[in-house]
PDB file of all heavy atoms in Angstrom:
ATOM      1  N   ARG A 937      -0.653  -3.742   3.469  1.00 94.00           N
ATOM      2  CA  ARG A 937      -1.161  -3.165   2.229  1.00 94.00           C
ATOM      3  C   ARG A 937      -2.452  -3.872   1.846  1.00 94.00           C
ATOM      4  O   ARG A 937      -2.536  -5.095   1.850  1.00 94.00           O
ATOM      5  CB  ARG A 937      -0.153  -3.303   1.085  1.00 94.00           C
ATOM      6  CG  ARG A 937       1.059  -2.393   1.214  1.00 94.00           C
ATOM      7  CD  ARG A 937       0.693  -0.932   1.008  1.00 94.00           C
ATOM      8  NE  ARG A 937       1.874  -0.082   1.029  1.00 94.00           N
ATOM      9  CZ  ARG A 937       2.435   0.430   2.110  1.00 94.00           C
ATOM     10  NH1 ARG A 937       1.925   0.143   3.304  1.00 94.00           N
ATOM     11  NH2 ARG A 937       3.507   1.204   2.048  1.00 94.00           N
ATOM     12  N   HIS A 938      -3.453  -3.065   1.504  1.00 93.00           N
ATOM     13  CA  HIS A 938      -4.757  -3.603   1.128  1.00 93.00           C
ATOM     14  C   HIS A 938      -4.743  -3.966  -0.359  1.00 93.00           C
ATOM     15  O   HIS A 938      -4.119  -3.281  -1.169  1.00 93.00           O
ATOM     16  CB  HIS A 938      -5.834  -2.550   1.402  1.00 93.00           C
ATOM     17  CG  HIS A 938      -7.226  -3.084   1.454  1.00 93.00           C
ATOM     18  ND1 HIS A 938      -7.931  -3.416   0.322  1.00 93.00           N
ATOM     19  CD2 HIS A 938      -8.050  -3.355   2.504  1.00 93.00           C
ATOM     20  CE1 HIS A 938      -9.126  -3.850   0.668  1.00 93.00           C
ATOM     21  NE2 HIS A 938      -9.212  -3.834   1.987  1.00 93.00           N
ATOM     22  N   LEU A 939      -5.421  -5.052  -0.717  1.00 95.00           N
ATOM     23  CA  LEU A 939      -5.579  -5.355  -2.136  1.00 95.00           C
ATOM     24  C   LEU A 939      -6.347  -4.228  -2.813  1.00 95.00           C
ATOM     25  O   LEU A 939      -7.189  -3.572  -2.181  1.00 95.00           O
ATOM     26  CB  LEU A 939      -6.322  -6.680  -2.326  1.00 95.00           C
ATOM     27  CG  LEU A 939      -5.612  -7.969  -1.924  1.00 95.00           C
ATOM     28  CD1 LEU A 939      -6.423  -9.180  -2.370  1.00 95.00           C
ATOM     29  CD2 LEU A 939      -4.214  -8.051  -2.507  1.00 95.00           C
ATOM     30  N   PRO A 940      -6.106  -3.992  -4.107  1.00 94.00           N
ATOM     31  CA  PRO A 940      -6.725  -2.852  -4.785  1.00 94.00           C
ATOM     32  C   PRO A 940      -8.182  -3.098  -5.179  1.00 94.00           C
ATOM     33  O   PRO A 940      -8.583  -2.875  -6.329  1.00 94.00           O
ATOM     34  CB  PRO A 940      -5.840  -2.671  -6.025  1.00 94.00           C
ATOM     35  CG  PRO A 940      -5.377  -4.052  -6.344  1.00 94.00           C
ATOM     36  CD  PRO A 940      -5.172  -4.717  -5.005  1.00 94.00           C
ATOM     37  N   VAL A 941      -8.989  -3.568  -4.230  1.00 94.00           N
ATOM     38  CA  VAL A 941     -10.399  -3.839  -4.530  1.00 94.00           C
ATOM     39  C   VAL A 941     -11.176  -3.855  -3.216  1.00 94.00           C
ATOM     40  O   VAL A 941     -10.636  -4.222  -2.170  1.00 94.00           O
ATOM     41  CB  VAL A 941     -10.554  -5.186  -5.272  1.00 94.00           C
ATOM     42  CG1 VAL A 941     -10.162  -6.362  -4.383  1.00 94.00           C
ATOM     43  CG2 VAL A 941     -11.965  -5.359  -5.819  1.00 94.00           C
ATOM     44  N   ASP A 942     -12.428  -3.444  -3.278  1.00 92.00           N
ATOM     45  CA  ASP A 942     -13.292  -3.409  -2.098  1.00 92.00           C
ATOM     46  C   ASP A 942     -14.095  -4.701  -2.031  1.00 92.00           C
ATOM     47  O   ASP A 942     -14.869  -5.008  -2.941  1.00 92.00           O
ATOM     48  CB  ASP A 942     -14.230  -2.199  -2.193  1.00 92.00           C
ATOM     49  CG  ASP A 942     -15.105  -2.040  -0.952  1.00 92.00           C
ATOM     50  OD1 ASP A 942     -14.895  -2.802   0.010  1.00 92.00           O
ATOM     51  OD2 ASP A 942     -15.971  -1.156  -0.964  1.00 92.00           O
ATOM     52  N   LEU A 943     -13.910  -5.460  -0.949  1.00 94.00           N
ATOM     53  CA  LEU A 943     -14.619  -6.734  -0.793  1.00 94.00           C
ATOM     54  C   LEU A 943     -15.756  -6.639   0.218  1.00 94.00           C
ATOM     55  O   LEU A 943     -16.378  -7.641   0.551  1.00 94.00           O
ATOM     56  CB  LEU A 943     -13.636  -7.832  -0.357  1.00 94.00           C
ATOM     57  CG  LEU A 943     -12.483  -8.125  -1.321  1.00 94.00           C
ATOM     58  CD1 LEU A 943     -11.605  -9.237  -0.762  1.00 94.00           C
ATOM     59  CD2 LEU A 943     -13.000  -8.484  -2.699  1.00 94.00           C
ATOM     60  N   ALA A 944     -16.021  -5.430   0.677  1.00 90.00           N
ATOM     61  CA  ALA A 944     -17.134  -5.241   1.619  1.00 90.00           C
ATOM     62  C   ALA A 944     -18.463  -5.216   0.869  1.00 90.00           C
ATOM     63  O   ALA A 944     -18.533  -4.826  -0.295  1.00 90.00           O
ATOM     64  CB  ALA A 944     -16.946  -3.933   2.389  1.00 90.00           C
ATOM     65  N   ASN A 945     -19.508  -5.672   1.516  1.00 87.00           N
ATOM     66  CA  ASN A 945     -20.881  -5.607   0.985  1.00 87.00           C
ATOM     67  C   ASN A 945     -21.058  -6.342  -0.337  1.00 87.00           C
ATOM     68  O   ASN A 945     -21.813  -5.908  -1.217  1.00 87.00           O
ATOM     69  CB  ASN A 945     -21.309  -4.138   0.807  1.00 87.00           C
ATOM     70  CG  ASN A 945     -21.191  -3.348   2.089  1.00 87.00           C
ATOM     71  OD1 ASN A 945     -21.616  -3.802   3.148  1.00 87.00           O
ATOM     72  ND2 ASN A 945     -20.592  -2.160   1.999  1.00 87.00           N
ATOM     73  N   LEU A 946     -20.355  -7.479  -0.484  1.00 91.00           N
ATOM     74  CA  LEU A 946     -20.525  -8.285  -1.699  1.00 91.00           C
ATOM     75  C   LEU A 946     -21.703  -9.250  -1.591  1.00 91.00           C
ATOM     76  O   LEU A 946     -22.119  -9.840  -2.584  1.00 91.00           O
ATOM     77  CB  LEU A 946     -19.249  -9.093  -1.983  1.00 91.00           C
ATOM     78  CG  LEU A 946     -17.999  -8.309  -2.364  1.00 91.00           C
ATOM     79  CD1 LEU A 946     -16.848  -9.282  -2.626  1.00 91.00           C
ATOM     80  CD2 LEU A 946     -18.246  -7.432  -3.578  1.00 91.00           C
ATOM     81  N   GLY A 947     -22.184  -9.439  -0.375  1.00 90.00           N
ATOM     82  CA  GLY A 947     -23.264 -10.402  -0.182  1.00 90.00           C
ATOM     83  C   GLY A 947     -22.775 -11.802   0.092  1.00 90.00           C
ATOM     84  O   GLY A 947     -23.572 -12.725   0.272  1.00 90.00           O
ATOM     85  N   ILE A 948     -21.439 -12.004   0.102  1.00 93.00           N
ATOM     86  CA  ILE A 948     -20.843 -13.300   0.440  1.00 93.00           C
ATOM     87  C   ILE A 948     -19.710 -13.044   1.435  1.00 93.00           C
ATOM     88  O   ILE A 948     -19.162 -11.944   1.498  1.00 93.00           O
ATOM     89  CB  ILE A 948     -20.293 -14.039  -0.800  1.00 93.00           C
ATOM     90  CG1 ILE A 948     -19.237 -13.178  -1.508  1.00 93.00           C
ATOM     91  CG2 ILE A 948     -21.409 -14.429  -1.743  1.00 93.00           C
ATOM     92  CD1 ILE A 948     -18.534 -13.907  -2.642  1.00 93.00           C
ATOM     93  N   PRO A 949     -19.344 -14.047   2.224  1.00 94.00           N
ATOM     94  CA  PRO A 949     -18.273 -13.840   3.203  1.00 94.00           C
ATOM     95  C   PRO A 949     -16.917 -13.577   2.541  1.00 94.00           C
ATOM     96  O   PRO A 949     -16.612 -14.127   1.479  1.00 94.00           O
ATOM     97  CB  PRO A 949     -18.243 -15.167   3.975  1.00 94.00           C
ATOM     98  CG  PRO A 949     -19.555 -15.815   3.715  1.00 94.00           C
ATOM     99  CD  PRO A 949     -19.962 -15.383   2.348  1.00 94.00           C
ATOM    100  N   ALA A 950     -16.115 -12.738   3.182  1.00 96.00           N
ATOM    101  CA  ALA A 950     -14.743 -12.484   2.744  1.00 96.00           C
ATOM    102  C   ALA A 950     -13.824 -12.569   3.954  1.00 96.00           C
ATOM    103  O   ALA A 950     -14.098 -11.982   4.997  1.00 96.00           O
ATOM    104  CB  ALA A 950     -14.622 -11.120   2.079  1.00 96.00           C
ATOM    105  N   ILE A 951     -12.745 -13.321   3.805  1.00 97.00           N
ATOM    106  CA  ILE A 951     -11.753 -13.492   4.856  1.00 97.00           C
ATOM    107  C   ILE A 951     -10.411 -12.972   4.331  1.00 97.00           C
ATOM    108  O   ILE A 951     -10.086 -13.152   3.153  1.00 97.00           O
ATOM    109  CB  ILE A 951     -11.599 -14.982   5.237  1.00 97.00           C
ATOM    110  CG1 ILE A 951     -12.883 -15.528   5.845  1.00 97.00           C
ATOM    111  CG2 ILE A 951     -10.422 -15.187   6.188  1.00 97.00           C
ATOM    112  CD1 ILE A 951     -13.140 -15.109   7.264  1.00 97.00           C
ATOM    113  N   TYR A 952      -9.631 -12.349   5.209  1.00 97.00           N
ATOM    114  CA  TYR A 952      -8.321 -11.832   4.829  1.00 97.00           C
ATOM    115  C   TYR A 952      -7.233 -12.657   5.499  1.00 97.00           C
ATOM    116  O   TYR A 952      -7.341 -13.008   6.671  1.00 97.00           O
ATOM    117  CB  TYR A 952      -8.185 -10.363   5.232  1.00 97.00           C
ATOM    118  CG  TYR A 952      -9.135  -9.459   4.486  1.00 97.00           C
ATOM    119  CD1 TYR A 952     -10.477  -9.349   4.866  1.00 97.00           C
ATOM    120  CD2 TYR A 952      -8.710  -8.738   3.374  1.00 97.00           C
ATOM    121  CE1 TYR A 952     -11.357  -8.538   4.171  1.00 97.00           C
ATOM    122  CE2 TYR A 952      -9.580  -7.919   2.673  1.00 97.00           C
ATOM    123  CZ  TYR A 952     -10.908  -7.821   3.081  1.00 97.00           C
ATOM    124  OH  TYR A 952     -11.771  -7.021   2.386  1.00 97.00           O
ATOM    125  N   ALA A 953      -6.178 -12.953   4.744  1.00 97.00           N
ATOM    126  CA  ALA A 953      -5.060 -13.728   5.287  1.00 97.00           C
ATOM    127  C   ALA A 953      -3.766 -13.174   4.708  1.00 97.00           C
ATOM    128  O   ALA A 953      -3.581 -13.138   3.491  1.00 97.00           O
ATOM    129  CB  ALA A 953      -5.208 -15.206   4.925  1.00 97.00           C
ATOM    130  N   PHE A 954      -2.899 -12.710   5.587  1.00 96.00           N
ATOM    131  CA  PHE A 954      -1.611 -12.158   5.189  1.00 96.00           C
ATOM    132  C   PHE A 954      -1.769 -10.947   4.267  1.00 96.00           C
ATOM    133  O   PHE A 954      -1.047 -10.772   3.285  1.00 96.00           O
ATOM    134  CB  PHE A 954      -0.729 -13.223   4.509  1.00 96.00           C
ATOM    135  CG  PHE A 954       0.746 -12.929   4.613  1.00 96.00           C
ATOM    136  CD1 PHE A 954       1.426 -13.163   5.793  1.00 96.00           C
ATOM    137  CD2 PHE A 954       1.449 -12.417   3.540  1.00 96.00           C
ATOM    138  CE1 PHE A 954       2.784 -12.877   5.890  1.00 96.00           C
ATOM    139  CE2 PHE A 954       2.803 -12.130   3.634  1.00 96.00           C
ATOM    140  CZ  PHE A 954       3.480 -12.358   4.818  1.00 96.00           C
ATOM    141  N   THR A 955      -2.747 -10.109   4.571  1.00 96.00           N
ATOM    142  CA  THR A 955      -2.918  -8.837   3.870  1.00 96.00           C
ATOM    143  C   THR A 955      -3.763  -7.935   4.756  1.00 96.00           C
ATOM    144  O   THR A 955      -4.434  -8.419   5.673  1.00 96.00           O
ATOM    145  CB  THR A 955      -3.583  -9.034   2.491  1.00 96.00           C
ATOM    146  OG1 THR A 955      -3.464  -7.841   1.722  1.00 96.00           O
ATOM    147  CG2 THR A 955      -5.057  -9.401   2.623  1.00 96.00           C
ATOM    148  N   GLU A 956      -3.744  -6.630   4.492  1.00 95.00           N
ATOM    149  CA  GLU A 956      -4.502  -5.700   5.327  1.00 95.00           C
ATOM    150  C   GLU A 956      -6.001  -5.876   5.079  1.00 95.00           C
ATOM    151  O   GLU A 956      -6.447  -5.839   3.934  1.00 95.00           O
ATOM    152  CB  GLU A 956      -4.092  -4.259   5.029  1.00 95.00           C
ATOM    153  CG  GLU A 956      -4.752  -3.241   5.942  1.00 95.00           C
ATOM    154  CD  GLU A 956      -4.305  -1.814   5.659  1.00 95.00           C
ATOM    155  OE1 GLU A 956      -3.780  -1.565   4.557  1.00 95.00           O
ATOM    156  OE2 GLU A 956      -4.488  -0.964   6.537  1.00 95.00           O
ATOM    157  N   PRO A 957      -6.800  -6.049   6.133  1.00 95.00           N
ATOM    158  CA  PRO A 957      -8.235  -6.299   5.948  1.00 95.00           C
ATOM    159  C   PRO A 957      -9.047  -5.016   5.854  1.00 95.00           C
ATOM    160  O   PRO A 957      -8.570  -3.929   6.184  1.00 95.00           O
ATOM    161  CB  PRO A 957      -8.605  -7.063   7.220  1.00 95.00           C
ATOM    162  CG  PRO A 957      -7.683  -6.485   8.256  1.00 95.00           C
ATOM    163  CD  PRO A 957      -6.391  -6.195   7.538  1.00 95.00           C
ATOM    164  N   ASP A 958     -10.289  -5.161   5.405  1.00 90.00           N
ATOM    165  CA  ASP A 958     -11.261  -4.080   5.527  1.00 90.00           C
ATOM    166  C   ASP A 958     -11.604  -3.897   6.997  1.00 90.00           C
ATOM    167  O   ASP A 958     -11.457  -4.834   7.799  1.00 90.00           O
ATOM    168  CB  ASP A 958     -12.554  -4.436   4.764  1.00 90.00           C
ATOM    169  CG  ASP A 958     -12.394  -4.272   3.257  1.00 90.00           C
ATOM    170  OD1 ASP A 958     -11.655  -3.367   2.851  1.00 90.00           O
ATOM    171  OD2 ASP A 958     -13.018  -5.050   2.504  1.00 90.00           O
ATOM    172  N   PRO A 959     -12.093  -2.723   7.382  1.00 87.00           N
ATOM    173  CA  PRO A 959     -12.574  -2.554   8.765  1.00 87.00           C
ATOM    174  C   PRO A 959     -13.697  -3.548   9.070  1.00 87.00           C
ATOM    175  O   PRO A 959     -14.503  -3.875   8.196  1.00 87.00           O
ATOM    176  CB  PRO A 959     -13.083  -1.111   8.781  1.00 87.00           C
ATOM    177  CG  PRO A 959     -12.366  -0.426   7.665  1.00 87.00           C
ATOM    178  CD  PRO A 959     -12.182  -1.475   6.602  1.00 87.00           C
ATOM    179  N   ASN A 960     -13.715  -4.056  10.286  1.00 89.00           N
ATOM    180  CA  ASN A 960     -14.759  -4.982  10.748  1.00 89.00           C
ATOM    181  C   ASN A 960     -14.767  -6.310  10.001  1.00 89.00           C
ATOM    182  O   ASN A 960     -15.786  -7.001   9.952  1.00 89.00           O
ATOM    183  CB  ASN A 960     -16.140  -4.330  10.643  1.00 89.00           C
ATOM    184  CG  ASN A 960     -16.244  -3.072  11.483  1.00 89.00           C
ATOM    185  OD1 ASN A 960     -15.786  -3.051  12.621  1.00 89.00           O
ATOM    186  ND2 ASN A 960     -16.818  -2.018  10.913  1.00 89.00           N
ATOM    187  N   ALA A 961     -13.622  -6.660   9.407  1.00 94.00           N
ATOM    188  CA  ALA A 961     -13.510  -7.957   8.737  1.00 94.00           C
ATOM    189  C   ALA A 961     -12.728  -8.924   9.620  1.00 94.00           C
ATOM    190  O   ALA A 961     -12.193  -8.556  10.667  1.00 94.00           O
ATOM    191  CB  ALA A 961     -12.805  -7.795   7.394  1.00 94.00           C
ATOM    192  N   ILE A 962     -12.672 -10.174   9.197  1.00 96.00           N
ATOM    193  CA  ILE A 962     -11.890 -11.202   9.890  1.00 96.00           C
ATOM    194  C   ILE A 962     -10.589 -11.394   9.126  1.00 96.00           C
ATOM    195  O   ILE A 962     -10.594 -11.555   7.905  1.00 96.00           O
ATOM    196  CB  ILE A 962     -12.662 -12.520   9.964  1.00 96.00           C
ATOM    197  CG1 ILE A 962     -13.940 -12.345  10.789  1.00 96.00           C
ATOM    198  CG2 ILE A 962     -11.795 -13.630  10.560  1.00 96.00           C
ATOM    199  CD1 ILE A 962     -14.847 -13.548  10.768  1.00 96.00           C
ATOM    200  N   ALA A 963      -9.466 -11.357   9.847  1.00 97.00           N
ATOM    201  CA  ALA A 963      -8.172 -11.486   9.188  1.00 97.00           C
ATOM    202  C   ALA A 963      -7.256 -12.400   9.995  1.00 97.00           C
ATOM    203  O   ALA A 963      -7.360 -12.487  11.225  1.00 97.00           O
ATOM    204  CB  ALA A 963      -7.518 -10.120   9.008  1.00 97.00           C
ATOM    205  N   PHE A 964      -6.360 -13.074   9.287  1.00 97.00           N
ATOM    206  CA  PHE A 964      -5.362 -13.940   9.903  1.00 97.00           C
ATOM    207  C   PHE A 964      -3.976 -13.492   9.444  1.00 97.00           C
ATOM    208  O   PHE A 964      -3.738 -13.325   8.247  1.00 97.00           O
ATOM    209  CB  PHE A 964      -5.585 -15.404   9.503  1.00 97.00           C
ATOM    210  CG  PHE A 964      -6.861 -15.985  10.039  1.00 97.00           C
ATOM    211  CD1 PHE A 964      -8.062 -15.829   9.347  1.00 97.00           C
ATOM    212  CD2 PHE A 964      -6.866 -16.695  11.237  1.00 97.00           C
ATOM    213  CE1 PHE A 964      -9.244 -16.362   9.845  1.00 97.00           C
ATOM    214  CE2 PHE A 964      -8.051 -17.229  11.734  1.00 97.00           C
ATOM    215  CZ  PHE A 964      -9.238 -17.066  11.036  1.00 97.00           C
ATOM    216  N   VAL A 965      -3.073 -13.281  10.398  1.00 97.00           N
ATOM    217  CA  VAL A 965      -1.698 -12.904  10.088  1.00 97.00           C
ATOM    218  C   VAL A 965      -0.752 -13.686  10.988  1.00 97.00           C
ATOM    219  O   VAL A 965      -1.157 -14.228  12.024  1.00 97.00           O
ATOM    220  CB  VAL A 965      -1.449 -11.388  10.269  1.00 97.00           C
ATOM    221  CG1 VAL A 965      -2.319 -10.570   9.327  1.00 97.00           C
ATOM    222  CG2 VAL A 965      -1.665 -10.976  11.720  1.00 97.00           C
ATOM    223  N   SER A 966       0.512 -13.742  10.599  1.00 97.00           N
ATOM    224  CA  SER A 966       1.522 -14.373  11.437  1.00 97.00           C
ATOM    225  C   SER A 966       1.940 -13.406  12.540  1.00 97.00           C
ATOM    226  O   SER A 966       1.923 -12.182  12.355  1.00 97.00           O
ATOM    227  CB  SER A 966       2.740 -14.752  10.588  1.00 97.00           C
ATOM    228  OG  SER A 966       2.383 -15.672   9.586  1.00 97.00           O
ATOM    229  N   ASP A 967       2.316 -13.947  13.663  1.00 98.00           N
ATOM    230  CA  ASP A 967       2.782 -13.134  14.790  1.00 98.00           C
ATOM    231  C   ASP A 967       4.261 -12.817  14.579  1.00 98.00           C
ATOM    232  O   ASP A 967       5.149 -13.534  15.040  1.00 98.00           O
ATOM    233  CB  ASP A 967       2.569 -13.900  16.102  1.00 98.00           C
ATOM    234  CG  ASP A 967       2.974 -13.086  17.325  1.00 98.00           C
ATOM    235  OD1 ASP A 967       3.427 -11.940  17.156  1.00 98.00           O
ATOM    236  OD2 ASP A 967       2.837 -13.609  18.444  1.00 98.00           O
ATOM    237  N   ASP A 968       4.545 -11.715  13.876  1.00 97.00           N
ATOM    238  CA  ASP A 968       5.924 -11.370  13.532  1.00 97.00           C
ATOM    239  C   ASP A 968       6.760 -11.070  14.768  1.00 97.00           C
ATOM    240  O   ASP A 968       7.935 -11.468  14.845  1.00 97.00           O
ATOM    241  CB  ASP A 968       5.930 -10.165  12.585  1.00 97.00           C
ATOM    242  CG  ASP A 968       5.561 -10.564  11.181  1.00 97.00           C
ATOM    243  OD1 ASP A 968       6.453 -10.994  10.432  1.00 97.00           O
ATOM    244  OD2 ASP A 968       4.376 -10.467  10.822  1.00 97.00           O
ATOM    245  N   ALA A 969       6.180 -10.369  15.723  1.00 98.00           N
ATOM    246  CA  ALA A 969       6.919 -10.071  16.948  1.00 98.00           C
ATOM    247  C   ALA A 969       7.260 -11.358  17.690  1.00 98.00           C
ATOM    248  O   ALA A 969       8.379 -11.533  18.189  1.00 98.00           O
ATOM    249  CB  ALA A 969       6.104  -9.139  17.837  1.00 98.00           C
ATOM    250  N   GLY A 970       6.313 -12.264  17.757  1.00 98.00           N
ATOM    251  CA  GLY A 970       6.570 -13.551  18.401  1.00 98.00           C
ATOM    252  C   GLY A 970       7.644 -14.341  17.683  1.00 98.00           C
ATOM    253  O   GLY A 970       8.482 -14.998  18.315  1.00 98.00           O
ATOM    254  N   GLY A 971       7.632 -14.288  16.342  1.00 98.00           N
ATOM    255  CA  GLY A 971       8.664 -14.980  15.574  1.00 98.00           C
ATOM    256  C   GLY A 971      10.043 -14.406  15.832  1.00 98.00           C
ATOM    257  O   GLY A 971      11.033 -15.145  15.967  1.00 98.00           O
ATOM    258  N   ALA A 972      10.137 -13.067  15.908  1.00 98.00           N
ATOM    259  CA  ALA A 972      11.421 -12.429  16.199  1.00 98.00           C
ATOM    260  C   ALA A 972      11.910 -12.826  17.590  1.00 98.00           C
ATOM    261  O   ALA A 972      13.113 -13.063  17.806  1.00 98.00           O
ATOM    262  CB  ALA A 972      11.276 -10.915  16.096  1.00 98.00           C
ATOM    263  N   ARG A 973      10.989 -12.914  18.530  1.00 98.00           N
ATOM    264  CA  ARG A 973      11.358 -13.347  19.888  1.00 98.00           C
ATOM    265  C   ARG A 973      11.979 -14.746  19.864  1.00 98.00           C
ATOM    266  O   ARG A 973      12.966 -15.009  20.554  1.00 98.00           O
ATOM    267  CB  ARG A 973      10.132 -13.356  20.788  1.00 98.00           C
ATOM    268  CG  ARG A 973       9.840 -12.017  21.442  1.00 98.00           C
ATOM    269  CD  ARG A 973       8.767 -12.141  22.524  1.00 98.00           C
ATOM    270  NE  ARG A 973       8.833 -10.979  23.404  1.00 98.00           N
ATOM    271  CZ  ARG A 973       9.619 -10.876  24.455  1.00 98.00           C
ATOM    272  NH1 ARG A 973      10.408 -11.880  24.786  1.00 98.00           N
ATOM    273  NH2 ARG A 973       9.629  -9.784  25.203  1.00 98.00           N
ATOM    274  N   LEU A 974      11.384 -15.641  19.090  1.00 98.00           N
ATOM    275  CA  LEU A 974      11.922 -16.998  19.006  1.00 98.00           C
ATOM    276  C   LEU A 974      13.381 -16.974  18.571  1.00 98.00           C
ATOM    277  O   LEU A 974      14.226 -17.701  19.112  1.00 98.00           O
ATOM    278  CB  LEU A 974      11.108 -17.831  18.012  1.00 98.00           C
ATOM    279  CG  LEU A 974       9.682 -18.214  18.406  1.00 98.00           C
ATOM    280  CD1 LEU A 974       8.998 -18.927  17.242  1.00 98.00           C
ATOM    281  CD2 LEU A 974       9.677 -19.098  19.644  1.00 98.00           C
ATOM    282  N   ALA A 975      13.685 -16.139  17.574  1.00 98.00           N
ATOM    283  CA  ALA A 975      15.045 -16.080  17.035  1.00 98.00           C
ATOM    284  C   ALA A 975      16.033 -15.514  18.055  1.00 98.00           C
ATOM    285  O   ALA A 975      17.091 -16.107  18.312  1.00 98.00           O
ATOM    286  CB  ALA A 975      15.053 -15.231  15.764  1.00 98.00           C
ATOM    287  N   VAL A 976      15.695 -14.371  18.653  1.00 98.00           N
ATOM    288  CA  VAL A 976      16.633 -13.709  19.564  1.00 98.00           C
ATOM    289  C   VAL A 976      16.784 -14.513  20.859  1.00 98.00           C
ATOM    290  O   VAL A 976      17.897 -14.641  21.402  1.00 98.00           O
ATOM    291  CB  VAL A 976      16.173 -12.263  19.850  1.00 98.00           C
ATOM    292  CG1 VAL A 976      17.196 -11.556  20.730  1.00 98.00           C
ATOM    293  CG2 VAL A 976      15.995 -11.486  18.540  1.00 98.00           C
ATOM    294  N   GLU A 977      15.695 -15.087  21.347  1.00 97.00           N
ATOM    295  CA  GLU A 977      15.789 -15.926  22.552  1.00 97.00           C
ATOM    296  C   GLU A 977      16.640 -17.164  22.297  1.00 97.00           C
ATOM    297  O   GLU A 977      17.363 -17.639  23.190  1.00 97.00           O
ATOM    298  CB  GLU A 977      14.394 -16.314  23.020  1.00 97.00           C
ATOM    299  CG  GLU A 977      13.624 -15.155  23.661  1.00 97.00           C
ATOM    300  CD  GLU A 977      12.167 -15.493  23.935  1.00 97.00           C
ATOM    301  OE1 GLU A 977      11.710 -16.579  23.484  1.00 97.00           O
ATOM    302  OE2 GLU A 977      11.483 -14.680  24.595  1.00 97.00           O
ATOM    303  N   HIS A 978      16.587 -17.687  21.080  1.00 97.00           N
ATOM    304  CA  HIS A 978      17.419 -18.840  20.728  1.00 97.00           C
ATOM    305  C   HIS A 978      18.898 -18.459  20.802  1.00 97.00           C
ATOM    306  O   HIS A 978      19.724 -19.206  21.353  1.00 97.00           O
ATOM    307  CB  HIS A 978      17.056 -19.319  19.324  1.00 97.00           C
ATOM    308  CG  HIS A 978      17.768 -20.574  18.909  1.00 97.00           C
ATOM    309  ND1 HIS A 978      17.439 -21.820  19.383  1.00 97.00           N
ATOM    310  CD2 HIS A 978      18.817 -20.769  18.064  1.00 97.00           C
ATOM    311  CE1 HIS A 978      18.237 -22.740  18.848  1.00 97.00           C
ATOM    312  NE2 HIS A 978      19.088 -22.119  18.044  1.00 97.00           N
TER     313      HIS A 978
END
């Protein structure tokens, strides 16, 4: 889910973390599939 605001073209850098990013932005998220693998493999 994207935050209810447009952070593109602000003239300053914007980074996304644990939320849906704008197109062509930089974002960081957790690897949910990898985390599930850890649990089931355990």
